[in-house]
Amino acid sequence: MAEGRTYVCIDLKSFYASVECVDRGLDPLKANLVVADPDRTEKTICLAITPSMKALGLSSRCRVFEIPEGVDYVMARPRMQRYMEASADIYSIYLRYVSPEDVHAYSIDECFIDATPYLALYRMEPKEFAVMLMDAVLADTGVCATAGIGPNLFLAKVALDITAKHAEDHIGYLDQAEFERSIQTHRPITDIWNIGPGIAKRLAKYAVYDLRGVCEMSEATLYREFGVNAEYLIDHAHGVEPCTIADIHAYEPSGHSLGNGQVLPCDYSFEEARDVLKEMVDQLVLDLVEKRLVAGSISLYVGYAKGRRADGGSDAQGCGAARGEGDRVDDDGTDAFFDGDHGRRPASGRRGFPHTGSTRRQADRTNLYSKLMPRFLDLFDETTRKDAPIRRINVGVGGVLPEEFATMDLFSDAEAEAEELRLQQAVLAVKGRFGKNALLRGTSLKEKATARERNEQIGGHHA
């Protein structure tokens, strides 16, 4: 390639659904299969569907009730552990041909490969190299793949997302000239990597609906609208991406944090959500202790089901509500939501839902349950509404450093704190040997508690 480097971005086609098909002896390209939890309502979102289901006009993250009546299909319960194992197996296939230093795992079913040094080694053109990897994955696992090829990571990703869909061999190719010819004027702009509905909406204020329009905008206007993030938008509008896989591997973040969050199964009251918060903080503290870290700040996000509607009424909803979790509409009466391949979400991200929360710096760095729990509860009590049903909770700690940086003062009881840490380590040992549900606090036995179920899940789904 004229640009000097060649990148390949490989995506596993309908990955979860393909794994389920292969395990059942079905053809992933021809079988009708959806990955969804049959124990949930018909409003549950499918984690994946096979290409034959997409051919019916369904989106890859459709809801079960959207599947037309009369369609004969298999519903597979999600098995996240199985998908992680399959992903690891496929990653090991790539390592037969390339060094791990030239691979970046972007997600469970997608990765970037710097193919530059291997084209001469294998005496192949870029497409031949991609086909070699795709054929190896298909032969060993039965899972089909698609690929994008480009002179930088951005063009390779866009080639995968847009160009490969229309190629008979499922391989997309973009160089600078082809990008300027076919992608800069592509619409909708949300098809472009890293341009979500929120950015698209802000660009629309300036009558800009594609990358060509971004190129023609004043950089001063872009920086005023997007701040430092305008740099990425400007580069990508011109097909430029200076970051390499080596840069990604060498990256060291200036700060570290830990956190966890969950969408509640139905509307929770203030007290019910407070109990869930206790469970989440308990797990967060155990994570800190296990990793031998201490935190300098705490953060809380609480999202509510109660939104606003065009008629000014409330759209608070219970379990399995038809419109989703706290849908809201814009002032013009149109839904402020975006339907994409990764599900339905508000155009402004989580900000599209009413929410409260805050981040607070602590006077000390600690990982002690006795200190962190009351601080989280105080933050929850002070910032959370008591008159609105709650549907989402996220907790986090920031300013994370190794345990040796824990703050000590003249008023600390060193012996008591050491004993508490030993107790937490004992809890971790028991959970590690006998399972996470081997030891639970009494709060987790309440009706609306979620820890017991979540301890048997990966990423909010059945392991």
Side-chain angles (χ1 to χ4, degrees):
M1 285 192 173
E3 310 297 332
R5 304 206 72 80
T6 302
Y7 291 93
V8 177
C9 184
I10 299 180
D11 176 66
L12 305 173
K13 196 173 183 66
S14 302
F15 180 51
Y16 296 167
S18 293
V19 171
E20 294 294 346
C21 284
V22 171
D23 286 355
R24 288 168 168 75
L26 304 174
D27 185 338
L29 298 179
K30 297 180 180 179
N32 286 342
L33 182 143
V34 303
V35 179
D37 190 344
D39 294 336
R40 300 187 183 183
T41 70
E42 64 176 6
K43 302 176 185 68
T44 190
I45 293 176
C46 299
L47 295 187
I49 64 175
T50 52
S52 62
M53 296 293 285
K54 293 179 184 178
L56 301 175
L58 297 169
S59 72
S60 58
R61 298 297 300 275
C62 65
R63 296 180 185 270
V64 172
F65 73 82
E66 294 175 327
I67 300 173
E69 292 185 10
V71 175
D72 186 22
Y73 66 92
V74 175
M75 180 180 290
R77 184 190 302 274
R79 297 183 296 158
M80 302 309 294
Q81 185 64 42
R82 174 71 185 100
Y83 308 146
M84 291 167 65
E85 293 169 354
S87 178
D89 290 342
I90 291 171
Y91 184 81
S92 69
I93 294 173
Y94 299 146
L95 296 186
R96 297 178 195 168
Y97 301 92
V98 300
S99 166
E101 287 77 17
D102 294 314
V103 183
H104 169 56
Y106 182 64
S107 67
I108 192 172
D109 62 347
E110 196 168 326
C111 77
F112 291 93
I113 295 174
D114 186 349
T116 310
Y118 303 100
L119 300 181
L121 175 65
Y122 295 116
R123 298 180 181 178
M124 290 182 172
E125 292 298 314
K127 282 194 175 184
E128 293 176 308
F129 178 76
V131 168
M132 177 179 68
L133 297 178
M134 295 162 63
D135 286 349
V137 171
L138 180 62
D140 282 23
T141 69
V143 175
C144 298
T146 58
I149 301 170
N152 60 50
L153 295 174
F154 174 70
L155 292 183
K157 173 63 172 167
V158 175
L160 170 72
D161 291 343
I162 298 177
T163 311
K165 293 180 179 180
H166 308 291
E168 292 186 6
D169 57 4
H170 306 296
I171 298 174
Y173 172 86
L174 281 179
D175 57 15
Q176 188 64 35
E178 181 60 24
F179 170 79
E180 293 176 1
R181 188 191 70 81
S182 63
I183 303 300
Q184 282 189 333
T185 55
H186 177 87
R187 298 184 183 184
I189 197 172
T190 49
D191 284 348
I192 306 298
W193 186 34
N194 274 347
I195 298 184
I199 293 176
K201 191 172 183 180
R202 293 165 72 179
L203 288 171
K205 294 190 304 182
Y206 302 94
V208 171
Y209 304 99
D210 54 33
L211 293 180
R212 182 69 55 79
V214 175
C215 293
E216 295 170 352
M217 284 183 70
S218 161
E219 289 193 5
T221 301
L222 286 166
Y223 276 101
R224 185 171 61 250
E225 180 69 37
F226 297 102
V228 295
N229 289 330
E231 180 177 350
Y232 305 108
L233 189 57
I234 294 168
D235 279 353
H236 289 175
H238 290 86
V240 174
E241 176 53 71
C243 182
T244 67
I245 290 179
D247 293 332
I248 295 172
H249 289 172
Y251 173 71
E252 287 286 346
S254 58
H256 297 270
S257 63
L258 288 177
N260 63 70
Q262 60 177 294
V263 177
L264 301 171
C266 59
D267 292 349
Y268 272 50
S269 68
F270 177 88
E271 290 299 332
E272 291 167 342
R274 198 173 189 270
D275 287 336
V276 173
L277 174 76
K278 292 178 183 178
E279 296 181 304
M280 297 173 69
V281 174
D282 186 28
Q283 182 57 53
L284 190 57
V285 169
L286 287 175
D287 289 343
L288 284 169
V289 173
E290 184 175 28
K291 294 177 172 64
R292 302 184 66 82
L293 299 171
V294 291
S297 66
I298 63 173
S299 62
L300 171 69
Y301 171 97
V302 176
Y304 302 95
K306 183 179 180 180
R308 59 183 178 85
R309 297 191 311 219
D311 60 9
S314 167
D315 55 1
Q317 300 167 336
C319 292
R323 280 182 58 84
E325 298 158 0
D327 287 7
R328 80 184 209 5
V329 295
D330 273 340
D331 293 330
D332 61 2
T334 60
D335 285 346
F337 279 77
F338 171 75
D339 289 296
D341 285 345
H342 298 287
R344 191 166 185 265
R345 57 194 186 276
S348 53
R350 288 191 319 196
R351 294 178 183 176
F353 297 120
H355 65 276
T356 56
S358 182
T359 297
R360 287 186 180 171
R361 186 178 299 276
Q362 302 184 102
D364 57 358
R365 284 193 175 90
T366 183
N367 59 6
L368 294 174
Y369 177 91
S370 60
K371 291 184 176 181
L372 290 172
M373 180 61 78
R375 294 170 186 175
F376 269 104
L377 292 176
D378 287 345
L379 184 57
F380 183 84
D381 293 343
E382 293 171 22
T383 62
T384 304
R385 293 173 56 183
K386 296 181 174 63
D387 61 344
I390 295 170
R391 290 300 292 266
R392 181 189 290 271
I393 304 176
N394 292 68
V395 296
V397 289
V400 173
L401 293 173
E403 205 169 42
E404 53 263 32
F405 290 94
T407 305
M408 299 293 292
D409 57 46
L410 295 175
F411 303 101
S412 298
D413 187 337
E415 185 175 340
E417 292 184 0
E419 178 62 27
E420 181 178 337
L421 277 177
R422 285 194 293 271
L423 177 60
Q424 294 289 76
Q425 289 162 355
V427 170
L428 285 168
V430 171
K431 287 175 174 282
R433 182 171 181 180
F434 299 105
K436 291 183 178 180
N437 282 332
L439 275 180
L440 295 168
R441 294 185 184 272
T443 301
S444 295
L445 300 178
K446 292 187 176 182
E447 181 182 358
K448 289 291 190 75
T450 63
R452 285 178 295 169
E453 182 178 2
R454 287 179 65 82
N455 283 341
E456 297 176 350
Q457 298 177 341
I458 296 176
H461 301 281
H462 292 284

